[in-house]
PDB file of all heavy atoms in Angstrom:
ATOM      1  N   LEU A  45     -15.581  28.268  13.052  1.00  0.00           N
ATOM      2  CA  LEU A  45     -14.628  29.091  12.252  1.00  0.00           C
ATOM      3  C   LEU A  45     -14.908  30.550  12.488  1.00  0.00           C
ATOM      4  O   LEU A  45     -16.066  30.912  12.870  1.00  0.00           O
ATOM      5  CB  LEU A  45     -14.775  28.735  10.774  1.00  0.00           C
ATOM      6  CG  LEU A  45     -14.304  27.344  10.334  1.00  0.00           C
ATOM      7  CD1 LEU A  45     -14.789  26.999   8.925  1.00  0.00           C
ATOM      8  CD2 LEU A  45     -12.764  27.289  10.372  1.00  0.00           C
ATOM      9  N   GLN A  54     -18.742  33.838   1.805  1.00  0.00           N
ATOM     10  CA  GLN A  54     -20.086  33.974   1.314  1.00  0.00           C
ATOM     11  C   GLN A  54     -20.140  35.052   0.218  1.00  0.00           C
ATOM     12  O   GLN A  54     -20.768  34.880  -0.832  1.00  0.00           O
ATOM     13  CB  GLN A  54     -21.058  34.334   2.423  1.00  0.00           C
ATOM     14  CG  GLN A  54     -22.488  34.337   2.055  1.00  0.00           C
ATOM     15  CD  GLN A  54     -23.422  34.563   3.220  1.00  0.00           C
ATOM     16  OE1 GLN A  54     -23.132  35.427   4.076  1.00  0.00           O
ATOM     17  NE2 GLN A  54     -24.486  33.837   3.289  1.00  0.00           N
ATOM     18  N   GLU A  69     -14.511  26.792  -8.731  1.00  0.00           N
ATOM     19  CA  GLU A  69     -14.487  26.520 -10.173  1.00  0.00           C
ATOM     20  C   GLU A  69     -13.164  26.848 -10.828  1.00  0.00           C
ATOM     21  O   GLU A  69     -13.018  26.721 -12.044  1.00  0.00           O
ATOM     22  CB  GLU A  69     -15.585  27.365 -10.860  1.00  0.00           C
ATOM     23  CG  GLU A  69     -16.969  27.113 -10.324  1.00  0.00           C
ATOM     24  CD  GLU A  69     -17.986  28.056 -10.996  1.00  0.00           C
ATOM     25  OE1 GLU A  69     -17.782  29.279 -10.910  1.00  0.00           O
ATOM     26  OE2 GLU A  69     -18.949  27.565 -11.576  1.00  0.00           O
ATOM     27  N   GLU A 139       0.236   2.032  13.008  1.00  0.00           N
ATOM     28  CA  GLU A 139       0.426   2.181  11.605  1.00  0.00           C
ATOM     29  C   GLU A 139       1.908   2.101  11.218  1.00  0.00           C
ATOM     30  O   GLU A 139       2.300   1.467  10.261  1.00  0.00           O
ATOM     31  CB  GLU A 139      -0.162   3.497  11.136  1.00  0.00           C
ATOM     32  CG  GLU A 139      -0.329   3.657   9.638  1.00  0.00           C
ATOM     33  CD  GLU A 139      -1.526   2.883   9.046  1.00  0.00           C
ATOM     34  OE1 GLU A 139      -2.104   2.011   9.692  1.00  0.00           O
ATOM     35  OE2 GLU A 139      -1.900   3.233   7.887  1.00  0.00           O
ATOM     36  N   TYR A 143       5.827  -0.520   8.646  1.00  0.00           N
ATOM     37  CA  TYR A 143       6.969  -0.065   7.860  1.00  0.00           C
ATOM     38  C   TYR A 143       8.298  -0.156   8.611  1.00  0.00           C
ATOM     39  O   TYR A 143       9.349   0.265   8.087  1.00  0.00           O
ATOM     40  CB  TYR A 143       6.753   1.366   7.358  1.00  0.00           C
ATOM     41  CG  TYR A 143       5.363   1.501   6.784  1.00  0.00           C
ATOM     42  CD1 TYR A 143       4.308   2.110   7.485  1.00  0.00           C
ATOM     43  CD2 TYR A 143       5.049   0.951   5.507  1.00  0.00           C
ATOM     44  CE1 TYR A 143       3.048   2.198   6.963  1.00  0.00           C
ATOM     45  CE2 TYR A 143       3.764   1.009   4.998  1.00  0.00           C
ATOM     46  CZ  TYR A 143       2.773   1.664   5.753  1.00  0.00           C
ATOM     47  OH  TYR A 143       1.503   1.689   5.237  1.00  0.00           O
ATOM     48  N   ILE A 248       7.905   1.371  -1.872  1.00  0.00           N
ATOM     49  CA  ILE A 248       6.462   1.152  -2.021  1.00  0.00           C
ATOM     50  C   ILE A 248       5.632   2.418  -1.680  1.00  0.00           C
ATOM     51  O   ILE A 248       4.431   2.320  -1.594  1.00  0.00           O
ATOM     52  CB  ILE A 248       5.954  -0.028  -1.133  1.00  0.00           C
ATOM     53  CG1 ILE A 248       6.496   0.096   0.311  1.00  0.00           C
ATOM     54  CG2 ILE A 248       6.367  -1.385  -1.685  1.00  0.00           C
ATOM     55  CD1 ILE A 248       5.636   0.835   1.244  1.00  0.00           C
ATOM     56  N   GLU A 251       3.364   7.799  -5.049  1.00  0.00           N
ATOM     57  CA  GLU A 251       3.997   9.043  -5.452  1.00  0.00           C
ATOM     58  C   GLU A 251       3.418  10.246  -4.649  1.00  0.00           C
ATOM     59  O   GLU A 251       4.180  11.133  -4.241  1.00  0.00           O
ATOM     60  CB  GLU A 251       3.781   9.250  -6.944  1.00  0.00           C
ATOM     61  CG  GLU A 251       4.625  10.405  -7.483  1.00  0.00           C
ATOM     62  CD  GLU A 251       4.392  10.681  -8.989  1.00  0.00           C
ATOM     63  OE1 GLU A 251       3.384  10.198  -9.522  1.00  0.00           O
ATOM     64  OE2 GLU A 251       5.216  11.380  -9.553  1.00  0.00           O
TER      65      GLU A 251
ATOM     66  N   LEU B  21     -19.358  24.906 -12.124  1.00  0.00           N
ATOM     67  CA  LEU B  21     -20.357  24.210 -11.353  1.00  0.00           C
ATOM     68  C   LEU B  21     -21.740  24.820 -11.602  1.00  0.00           C
ATOM     69  O   LEU B  21     -21.823  25.979 -12.018  1.00  0.00           O
ATOM     70  CB  LEU B  21     -20.062  24.273  -9.864  1.00  0.00           C
ATOM     71  CG  LEU B  21     -18.818  23.495  -9.377  1.00  0.00           C
ATOM     72  CD1 LEU B  21     -18.377  23.926  -7.997  1.00  0.00           C
ATOM     73  CD2 LEU B  21     -19.108  22.014  -9.398  1.00  0.00           C
ATOM     74  N   GLU B  45     -18.499  23.925   9.673  1.00  0.00           N
ATOM     75  CA  GLU B  45     -18.206  23.866  11.117  1.00  0.00           C
ATOM     76  C   GLU B  45     -18.836  22.645  11.776  1.00  0.00           C
ATOM     77  O   GLU B  45     -18.759  22.476  13.016  1.00  0.00           O
ATOM     78  CB  GLU B  45     -18.801  25.108  11.783  1.00  0.00           C
ATOM     79  CG  GLU B  45     -18.204  26.424  11.272  1.00  0.00           C
ATOM     80  CD  GLU B  45     -18.937  27.615  11.851  1.00  0.00           C
ATOM     81  OE1 GLU B  45     -20.198  27.661  11.728  1.00  0.00           O
ATOM     82  OE2 GLU B  45     -18.233  28.460  12.425  1.00  0.00           O
ATOM     83  N   GLU B 115       2.607   3.619 -11.462  1.00  0.00           N
ATOM     84  CA  GLU B 115       2.422   3.490 -10.003  1.00  0.00           C
ATOM     85  C   GLU B 115       2.174   2.004  -9.660  1.00  0.00           C
ATOM     86  O   GLU B 115       2.675   1.481  -8.646  1.00  0.00           O
ATOM     87  CB  GLU B 115       1.262   4.353  -9.581  1.00  0.00           C
ATOM     88  CG  GLU B 115       1.115   4.603  -8.096  1.00  0.00           C
ATOM     89  CD  GLU B 115       2.113   5.576  -7.521  1.00  0.00           C
ATOM     90  OE1 GLU B 115       3.145   5.886  -8.152  1.00  0.00           O
ATOM     91  OE2 GLU B 115       1.902   6.038  -6.367  1.00  0.00           O
ATOM     92  N   TYR B 119       3.779  -2.341  -6.942  1.00  0.00           N
ATOM     93  CA  TYR B 119       3.086  -3.348  -6.175  1.00  0.00           C
ATOM     94  C   TYR B 119       2.859  -4.676  -6.902  1.00  0.00           C
ATOM     95  O   TYR B 119       2.221  -5.549  -6.362  1.00  0.00           O
ATOM     96  CB  TYR B 119       1.711  -2.774  -5.680  1.00  0.00           C
ATOM     97  CG  TYR B 119       1.892  -1.400  -5.136  1.00  0.00           C
ATOM     98  CD1 TYR B 119       1.525  -0.258  -5.872  1.00  0.00           C
ATOM     99  CD2 TYR B 119       2.480  -1.216  -3.860  1.00  0.00           C
ATOM    100  CE1 TYR B 119       1.737   0.999  -5.368  1.00  0.00           C
ATOM    101  CE2 TYR B 119       2.695   0.049  -3.361  1.00  0.00           C
ATOM    102  CZ  TYR B 119       2.328   1.155  -4.100  1.00  0.00           C
ATOM    103  OH  TYR B 119       2.534   2.449  -3.607  1.00  0.00           O
ATOM    104  N   ILE B 224       1.330  -3.759   3.550  1.00  0.00           N
ATOM    105  CA  ILE B 224       1.878  -2.410   3.702  1.00  0.00           C
ATOM    106  C   ILE B 224       0.878  -1.333   3.332  1.00  0.00           C
ATOM    107  O   ILE B 224       1.204  -0.154   3.210  1.00  0.00           O
ATOM    108  CB  ILE B 224       3.158  -2.231   2.832  1.00  0.00           C
ATOM    109  CG1 ILE B 224       2.897  -2.681   1.395  1.00  0.00           C
ATOM    110  CG2 ILE B 224       4.334  -2.923   3.429  1.00  0.00           C
ATOM    111  CD1 ILE B 224       2.400  -1.724   0.378  1.00  0.00           C
ATOM    112  N   GLU B 227      -3.937   2.162   6.544  1.00  0.00           N
ATOM    113  CA  GLU B 227      -5.309   1.831   6.940  1.00  0.00           C
ATOM    114  C   GLU B 227      -6.348   2.624   6.115  1.00  0.00           C
ATOM    115  O   GLU B 227      -7.331   2.121   5.660  1.00  0.00           O
ATOM    116  CB  GLU B 227      -5.481   2.084   8.444  1.00  0.00           C
ATOM    117  CG  GLU B 227      -6.811   1.545   8.972  1.00  0.00           C
ATOM    118  CD  GLU B 227      -7.006   1.852  10.452  1.00  0.00           C
ATOM    119  OE1 GLU B 227      -6.309   2.766  11.008  1.00  0.00           O
ATOM    120  OE2 GLU B 227      -7.917   1.203  11.059  1.00  0.00           O
TER     121      GLU B 227
END
Side-chain angles (χ1 to χ4, degrees):
Chain A
L45 289 166
Q54 187 175 41
E69 301 175 304
E139 193 77 344
Y143 313 103
I248 48 91
E251 191 182 16
Chain B
L21 290 166
E45 302 174 304
E115 193 77 343
Y119 314 102
I224 49 91
E227 190 181 17

